[in-house]
Amino acid sequence: MSDKPSVLFVCVHNAGRSQMAAGWLRHLAGDAVEVRSAGSAPAETVNPAAVQAMREVGIDITDQTPKLLEYETAESSDVIVTMGCGDACPIFPGKRYEDWKLEDPAGKGIEAVRPIRDEIRSRMEQLLTELRGTA
């Protein structure tokens, strides 16, 4: 891993979980980590409930757009965190993988999205601690 590790968050639509995770990592790590996110079947826009949930904790993800997962992006990432993308996520030898089992916020209101947001923050703090220990 280089001095500045890259972390890729992948979920199906790249509109909820992966966008919240990327927002948390940018917020917590600043420019110490390269943050990427993508989806196997990206939505047109980021989930409004995810945007609202992140706004409540002072993180703005309104400028993010769902992106298609590309082979090159995954191949050049140090850590790949999957969140329900199943077989659509490519596997590369030598990469660190984590599969976070998180409820999908798609179609849910803000009350249901807040606990997902908070669980992502908890996992993100642990991941960041581990990344700082290996950088």
Side-chain angles (χ1 to χ4, degrees):
M1 211 175 288
S2 69
D3 288 344
K4 184 174 181 174
S6 60
V7 178
L8 171 63
F9 299 102
V10 184
C11 67
V12 175
H13 300 296
N14 188 221
R17 294 167 289 187
S18 57
Q19 293 289 356
M20 288 191 289
W24 273 121
L25 187 55
R26 284 185 198 98
H27 177 75
L28 296 169
D31 64 357
V33 177
E34 182 179 356
V35 181
R36 305 166 173 181
S37 70
S40 55
E44 290 186 25
T45 60
V46 175
N47 179 333
V51 170
Q52 182 181 351
M54 295 302 285
R55 184 179 294 128
E56 289 178 353
V57 294
I59 300 172
D60 183 4
I61 61 171
T62 58
D63 64 339
Q64 300 301 307
T65 56
K67 297 168 215 55
L68 180 64
L69 174 62
E70 295 183 2
Y71 181 92
E72 296 79 17
T73 302
E75 184 178 41
S76 65
S77 296
D78 296 308
V79 178
I80 300 173
V81 179
T82 58
M83 304 173 185
C85 65
D87 295 337
C89 295
I91 302 295
F92 296 96
K95 300 288 177 195
R96 174 180 170 177
Y97 283 89
E98 292 196 17
D99 185 35
W100 292 358
K101 305 285 188 218
L102 296 164
E103 189 175 348
D104 188 348
K108 294 184 174 34
I110 189 65
E111 293 296 326
V113 175
R114 285 181 184 125
I116 300 168
R117 172 202 65 202
D118 296 343
E119 175 67 19
I120 291 171
R121 179 185 180 135
S122 176
R123 291 175 187 234
M124 192 57 58
E125 289 170 340
Q126 178 63 38
L127 176 63
L128 192 52
T129 298
E130 293 168 7
L131 287 174
R132 287 178 173 146
T134 60

